[in-house]
Amino acid sequence: MSHVPRVVIVESHSLVRRGLESLLSGCSETDVLSVFESPQQWTPEPGTRPDVIILGLTFDQRVSAADTVSALAQHGQVLVLGDLADRDGVTTLLRAGAHGWLPCCVADDEVLGAIATVARGGTHVSPVPTTRTHDEPGAREEHVPRLLARREFETLRWIATGLTHAQVARRMGLTEATVNTYVKRIRRKLRVGNKADLTRKAIELGLMRRQPDKDGA
């Protein structure tokens, strides 16, 4: 039997909080450990470490969000829920230790998919908003690197959306070993380390606005 992700919900808006609790409690794919209005209300207990901490952000919390994420990340993988102005805000959260971000208006299926991805140690980022016309698709892509070959560029896109190497291989019609080789080359060329770093780089390059449909696990 596969492991069911254990989730802690931290959300100040009562309506959103009740909605998340209802969704996740009624789903066999998640186990809700506890629900809190604020991080200050939660005292982590030994032996009950959650797989995912869903952190809801209010407008007032966005300034100090990175500090909150950094503190919570010591106790589990953080998935942030809240609207942000641009991808710079998402990058800041990831650098602070978050493993994912979702906007407030998001489908139930994406919430569940994001939890599953983050629980496995992956990164899930919804398509990121942009407010600048020169950031339209293609503007940043032209700068990406001629360093990357076409298939490496495609691999980066899929990896950044949260797919595993095996899923990327199926999507691209390659062997998993070939995808592993592509990822090693991408990391070397872009000078990044783990998958979270790859995702941050993809956001910085403007590759995360359109999120393709994912394969099954």
Side-chain angles (χ1 to χ4, degrees):
M1 182 178 177
S2 59
H3 175 69
V4 176
R6 297 179 297 179
V7 181
V8 166
I9 299 171
V10 182
E11 170 58 63
S12 61
H13 291 296
S14 60
L15 185 60
V16 178
R17 187 170 61 248
R18 290 197 299 268
L20 283 171
E21 184 177 11
S22 176
L23 170 65
L24 302 185
S25 296
C27 175
S28 61
E29 299 173 12
T30 55
D31 176 16
V32 178
L33 294 180
S34 49
V35 181
F36 299 99
E37 184 176 344
S38 70
Q40 292 73 26
Q41 293 180 342
W42 180 37
T43 302
E45 299 179 7
T48 59
R49 179 183 175 88
D51 297 295
V52 179
I53 302 169
I54 298 179
L55 173 63
L57 293 184
T58 65
F59 180 81
D60 293 337
Q61 292 172 328
R62 291 172 192 169
V63 175
S64 59
D67 291 338
T68 302
V69 167
S70 181
L72 290 178
Q74 300 177 44
H75 307 292
Q77 318 274 50
V78 179
L79 174 61
V80 179
L81 175 66
D83 292 331
L84 297 170
D86 53 38
R87 65 169 164 267
D88 290 339
V90 180
T91 302
T92 298
L93 294 175
L94 293 176
R95 286 176 174 164
H99 276 249
W101 167 77
L102 295 169
C104 290
C105 296
V106 63
D108 292 354
D109 286 347
E110 186 173 356
V111 174
L112 296 175
I115 290 172
T117 297
V118 170
R120 293 194 301 266
T123 302
H124 180 99
V125 177
S126 287
V128 182
T130 179
T131 57
R132 292 170 293 184
T133 56
H134 66 267
D135 276 342
E136 288 303 308
R140 287 292 186 97
E141 293 176 13
E142 292 176 0
H143 299 311
V144 176
R146 294 180 182 159
L147 283 174
L148 298 183
R150 181 180 63 82
R151 296 294 262 174
E152 292 169 349
F153 183 80
E154 184 180 354
T155 299
L156 174 59
R157 276 185 176 277
W158 288 118
I159 289 292
T161 62
L163 296 187
T164 65
H165 290 197
Q167 290 170 329
V168 173
R170 290 198 297 272
R171 176 70 69 172
M172 295 177 63
L174 304 171
T175 65
E176 188 171 353
T178 299
V179 172
N180 292 340
T181 298
Y182 284 166
V183 172
K184 289 178 182 177
R185 290 178 185 170
I186 294 167
R187 286 176 174 169
R188 183 178 69 251
K189 290 178 178 180
L190 299 184
R191 299 180 181 178
V192 297
N194 56 30
K195 187 173 181 180
D197 292 331
L198 280 176
T199 301
R200 283 193 287 269
K201 178 60 70 173
I203 291 172
E204 291 168 0
L205 295 172
L207 308 183
M208 295 298 293
R209 285 181 297 279
R210 294 191 306 272
Q211 186 167 0
D213 295 333
K214 296 181 181 180
D215 287 341

